[in-house]
Amino acid sequence: MKIAVLPGDGIGTEIVDQAVRVLKAMDLKFEMEFAPVGGTAYESHGHPLPESTLKLAQNCDAILFGAVGDWKYDQLERQFRPEQAILGLRKHLGLFANFRPAICYEELVGASSLKPELISGLDILIIRELTGDIYFGQPRGRRIAVDGHFPGAEEAFDTMRYSKPEIERIAHVAFQAARKRSKKVTSVDKANVLETFQFWKDVVTEVHAQYPDVELDHMYVDNAAMQLVRAPKKLDVVVTGNMFGDILSDEAAMLTGSIGMLPSASLNDKQVGLYEPSHGSAPDIAGKGVANPLATILSAAMMLRFSLNQAEAALRIESAVKKVLASGLRTPDIWSVGTQKVGTKEMGDAVVAALAVQ
Ligand code: NAD
């Protein structure tokens, strides 16, 4: 088994360092190889996703990714911007299924902006389709309108589209994930207005026939956005398209209080995956040693479970993280009165120490 480790920019290096320490402390058999990505790779290789980094990623069983991006690259031509590295990896590796769990740890209930009783025990899995929808549909662009409300005016347009196989494969992923949880899937669409999402709903319903043991319900995206803040615990596995998933998964992330706690996985049909924290490169705190490494450490746990077939080791990491939180240690983003503030490395030390006493 081989893991490509791509720390990237900003806090990427700091948080990935801690996840790598945790992985090494597990005493498992795999190789890790580091490579530059994002702005760092642009500086050293003239491209955010150099050929050598892409090749390494293509030849590994999993990718542990930090974060990319910095405001200093905002002026670059789009193809050279750090964020293009993630899009390139998704495309070249066919990473179509994005798993974003939103779990509220009991010790962090107070960090949420929602009332404790609404989020205590929260454990939602949002599964977002990642390679289709309006983000990738062609044609797109700007032109002079020939019809509409203002013919002759400049306009911009995108194309929302999904093919049947694209919907089928993400629906299978969702139903299979639900079988390992509470056997309930909510498919989020906008079938009342959009042709694409009526089709989405029809295809998900068709695939559901193969999973009679799993309950399926459908929800319009506006209602889903509302239910996430009204009664989030009623949801379990949520499956949706690229754009709705983008928005809902960030909303779900904030239910738990801090983006520094949330892991994510993007998988292809061979279970090869890219594992990264849900947050970005946080240039505002980079180099200060205060970033929360837990989202990255929990992403490493997801990697062990989904791509490296090491579910038991994943559980060990997750329970070590819970133990550390229970002991009262907090990075500044999750700190509250009565807990002990620590930096990135101290948090990593604590997780490694908690693993040792299991
Ligand atoms: P961000 O997620 O980097 O930061 C948002 C806020 O959350 C900041 O105040 C930051 O300090 C804080 N934060 C984020 N992660 C944290 C952690 N682990 N511990 C403590 N605090 C944390 O989002 P942004 O500021 O909008 O974007 C910064 C850069 O990151 C941009 O260049 C953006 O394009 C990029 N970005 C990259 C990814 C990725 O690599 N997948 C995702 C989102 C944004």
Side-chain angles (χ1 to χ4, degrees), residues 167 171 175 187 199-208 216 218:
I167 305 171
F175 289 124
S187 170
F199 185 54
W200 171 282
K201 187 173 179 176
D202 295 346
V203 175
V204 171
T205 305
E206 205 176 301
V207 173
H208 179 229
L216 169 68
H218 302 274

Side-chain angles (χ1 to χ4, degrees), residues 131-169:
T131 53
D133 205 351
I134 196 163
Y135 289 3
F136 293 95
Q138 293 290 343
R140 58 192 284 165
R142 292 182 185 208
R143 63 186 172 196
I144 300 299
V146 291
D147 49 20
H149 295 300
F150 295 98
E154 196 183 0
E155 69 173 10
F157 64 102
D158 298 276
T159 302
M160 179 177 269
R161 64 190 290 177
Y162 264 122
S163 65
K164 192 168 184 188
E166 281 175 301
I167 305 171
E168 284 171 339
R169 66 182 180 176

Side-chain angles (χ1 to χ4, degrees), residues 11 15 65-71 74 82-83 86 90 258-261 276-285 290-296 331-333:
I11 60 169
I15 53 181
F65 192 95
V68 291
D70 191 296
W71 302 305
D74 282 356
E83 293 78 5
I86 306 179
R90 282 180 193 162
S258 170
I259 197 144
M261 292 298 303
E276 58 172 335
S278 297
H279 57 74
S281 54
D284 54 334
I285 56 166
V290 295
N292 186 346
L294 293 180
T296 317
T331 42
D333 56 308

Side-chain angles (χ1 to χ4, degrees), residues 129-242:
E129 199 290 328
L130 208 53
T131 53
D133 205 351
I134 196 163
Y135 289 3
F136 293 95
Q138 293 290 343
R140 58 192 284 165
R142 292 182 185 208
R143 63 186 172 196
I144 300 299
V146 291
D147 49 20
H149 295 300
F150 295 98
E154 196 183 0
E155 69 173 10
F157 64 102
D158 298 276
T159 302
M160 179 177 269
R161 64 190 290 177
Y162 264 122
S163 65
K164 192 168 184 188
E166 281 175 301
I167 305 171
E168 284 171 339
R169 66 182 180 176
I170 196 77
H172 282 293
V173 167
F175 289 124
Q176 281 161 20
R179 276 188 169 159
K180 296 185 191 144
R181 297 172 53 101
S182 69
K183 298 196 167 68
K184 187 175 166 238
V185 170
T186 302
S187 170
V188 171
D189 61 57
K190 189 72 185 167
N192 50 343
V193 178
L194 297 168
E195 205 57 52
T196 313
F197 275 89
Q198 180 60 57
F199 185 54
W200 171 282
K201 187 173 179 176
D202 295 346
V203 175
V204 171
T205 305
E206 205 176 301
V207 173
H208 179 229
Q210 296 173 47
Y211 299 86
D213 53 322
V214 179
E215 192 188 321
L216 169 68
D217 63 4
H218 302 274
M219 201 179 268
Y220 295 139
V221 63
D222 37 352
N223 187 24
M226 203 164 74
Q227 295 307 325
L228 270 175
V229 287
R230 185 178 162 270
K233 283 191 276 186
K234 288 199 177 148
L235 298 165
D236 193 71
V237 173
V238 174
V239 63
T240 189
N242 204 344

Side-chain angles (χ1 to χ4, degrees), residues 268-289:
N268 68 14
D269 51 7
K270 295 180 192 71
Q271 291 296 108
V272 171
L274 183 147
Y275 299 84
E276 58 172 335
S278 297
H279 57 74
S281 54
D284 54 334
I285 56 166
K288 295 185 179 160

